[in-house]
Amino acid sequence: MSTRILKGVGVSPGIAVGPARLVHWELPRVTRRLVAADRVDEEVDRLHQAVDEVRQLFQDLRTRTHERAGPDEAKIFDAQILMLEDPEFLREVEALIHDNQLSAERAFEFKTLEMRALWAQSTSPRLRQRVADLAGVQLRVLNRLLGRSFEHLLKSEGDQPAIVFMRELTPGLTIQFERERVAGFATEQGTRTAHAAILARGLGIPCVMGLVDAMSQITPGTQVILDGSHGVALISPTADELEAAQETERVRLDIEHQMEASRSEPSVLLDGGGVELRATVDLPEDIDRAEQHGAEGIGLLRTEFFLMGRAEMPSEEEQVTLFERAIRTFPGDQVIVRSYDLGGDKYPAMFNPEPEPNPFLGWRAIRVSLDEPAFFRTQLRALLRARRYGDVRVMLPLVTGVEEVERVQAMLREEAEALATAGVPAASSIPLGAMVETPAAVMIVDRLASACDFLSVGTSDLTQYTLAVDRGNARMASRFEPMHPAIVRQLHDVAVASRDAGIEASICGLMSSDPLGVFLLIGLGYRVFSVTTGALPSVRWVVRQLDGASCAACVEDALGASTAAEVRAALTAGLGERVDLRMLDGGELPDLTPPH
């Protein structure tokens, strides 16, 4: 690959052109300073004053983000605000000051460095992703305590909007840069799910992360093309390359307008076949957004939020209320509730399990629910009661055996009988489905199809477990390949088994929100997708450009491929006949040079 081309991970779509601006920031150096015993209380007061000032700053940034990007993006600052409001964390910093007579800055640095090391080495992707949030808190508080400012980092240089290169981008820096002076962001660290990446998408700023050693390969002022869709930075582009990039961005914006215009159009293939686009709902407030984006029901309603950040189990009534709200929002449509997917990076405080060396291969998902039947039965009762209001269904995560499904079926029968005996209005049964997320589930998919009312393929976990690649590891990003032939063949097997059993098989995960993935899945015969709310317009637009027969013909070539590159080539050739490929997110390295 040319040294002019740097490849990373595209995290915010769009093409930006501008001079490179290198922003070097680092945590301030704190010297060891002791305070006199009679000045310790003053030092604690100084700590709290700095923390209060920074907390107010983040609250102001939250308000500014709500105005510029929207309510969902504004919530990103909640994590940093909560860190500054954590009484246990502050007590431990105070103890360092009292017990060791450390200065406030030294004690705060000591504690945050300890947390940073712990989180960075964690097996939890969620904790690893919060390292950048912690760095933002650390940077602000230490600068306040030391009386320093880094505002000069935010000042623009020159008249032209720049491509800002940094080692790491924090949410606070993302929102504080002058928008009209930033054409795009490029960082050496970070992944698509980093808070700064989510914020860049909300602000509409092209962003590429994971550009390893980019800072050492870029000279300030050098002209750069940044492709946030494909994860590419092209250094010192030629005039022809600049013209090609500008035309590609024009096409992307034009298609974005088409997508917005088709928001209220039905998701129908050119040959008249219907495709059902349901929403993936992470939090209760996403239910209304899903309806506004034209979702046809809910394909995956996560329930882990019930248990996060609280000391007690959610009540049955609390769960019935949420399920009823979702059902009434989508009358006549399916609402599929995923039972608790705990474990891995999502353990509630009340469980406090022993640390596991490999949590994503350990006690998680359906295994936790079956081993802790008391809290699981409460959820099953709530679902049976909510079933009276409409078509709610329950889906089990990380199923690897038919016996797991059978045990839940027995629990449902027992709880339905108990509710009837107690005179509580409830359904006598509820449709039960399994998520296909492991090679084990695929190997016995015909048995699962016979035991279940429906199936749903979790493409992200299926890719992770099949390829043994941690999807939250930026270093492994290029190896996390949903178009690997092993994944394509497994998706084919699930489609065939569900069709033979006469049951529905839907798709959730990142592939259901990716145009090339949707093209593949339609060709394999899938017609039901659970899509993130923000991606519903683009997926609906893509569906309306396709016909089932043509997709199926191209997929035959993909099924015969030996490598992911061959799969992508076959699909790209077919999709390119129907859709301008310049609008695709992800994919192979784009050729920014126009044809001769």
Side-chain angles (χ1 to χ4, degrees), residues 209-435:
M209 292 184 168
L211 293 167
V212 179
D213 296 329
M215 301 280 279
S216 64
Q217 302 181 56
I218 300 285
T219 302
T222 302
Q223 198 75 355
V224 175
I225 294 175
L226 188 77
D227 186 340
S229 296
H230 297 84
V232 176
L234 180 62
I235 306 168
S236 300
T238 65
D240 286 345
E241 288 168 341
L242 284 169
E243 183 180 346
Q246 290 162 355
E247 171 62 12
T248 297
E249 180 64 359
R250 186 196 65 76
V251 170
R252 189 188 70 83
L253 291 174
D254 179 59
I255 291 175
E256 272 193 5
H257 292 147
Q258 293 181 41
M259 290 176 184
E260 187 63 28
S262 66
R263 178 187 292 257
S264 59
E265 299 292 332
S267 50
V268 178
L269 297 167
L270 292 174
D271 55 15
V275 174
E276 197 165 338
L277 301 183
R278 301 172 187 159
T280 296
V281 171
D282 295 324
L283 297 167
E285 50 264 38
D286 293 336
I287 294 173
D288 292 335
R289 290 187 66 237
E291 181 191 28
Q292 293 162 9
H293 281 73
E296 302 166 82
I298 297 176
L300 193 162
L301 174 58
R302 304 182 198 274
T303 55
E304 295 75 54
F305 72 88
F306 272 129
L307 299 168
M308 295 299 129
R310 55 191 292 174
E312 75 288 339
M313 295 291 183
S315 69
E316 187 176 317
E317 293 299 331
E318 184 181 354
Q319 296 184 67
V320 172
T321 299
L322 174 70
F323 302 151
E324 180 186 354
R325 175 187 164 192
I327 293 165
R328 294 194 185 282
T329 304
F330 294 98
D333 292 323
Q334 289 186 25
V335 171
I336 298 178
V337 176
R338 186 179 69 183
S339 64
Y340 296 123
D341 187 8
L342 300 176
D345 60 342
K346 295 174 292 190
Y347 272 127
M350 71 278 286
F351 273 81
N352 193 28
E354 291 293 325
E356 293 185 292
N358 229 329
F360 282 91
L361 298 179
W363 197 53
R364 59 162 298 199
I366 188 60
R367 301 164 186 175
V368 176
S369 295
L370 292 175
D371 288 353
E372 298 287 341
F375 94 99
F376 185 40
R377 284 177 180 272
T378 300
Q379 185 173 64
L380 297 181
R381 284 196 302 273
L383 285 161
L384 286 165
R385 290 174 58 189
R387 175 76 176 169
R388 296 179 302 129
Y389 302 109
D391 191 3
V392 66
R393 304 177 178 214
V394 59
M395 179 166 66
L396 310 177
L398 207 71
V399 169
T400 56
V402 174
E403 64 277 9
E404 293 166 332
V405 176
E406 292 173 341
R407 287 181 62 186
V408 177
Q409 288 170 334
M411 286 184 180
L412 281 167
R413 287 193 297 269
E414 292 163 4
E415 294 307 322
E417 291 172 3
L419 288 167
T421 300
V424 178
S428 59
S429 64
I430 187 170
L432 178 65
M435 294 196 73

Side-chain angles (χ1 to χ4, degrees), residues 27 31 44 89 103 116 240 249 336 351 411 432 479 481 549 571 574 581:
L27 296 171
T31 58
V44 171
F89 169 74
S103 66
R116 188 180 177 99
D240 286 345
E249 180 64 359
I336 298 178
F351 273 81
M411 286 184 180
L432 178 65
R479 289 182 168 87
E481 177 51 87
L571 297 176
L581 295 178

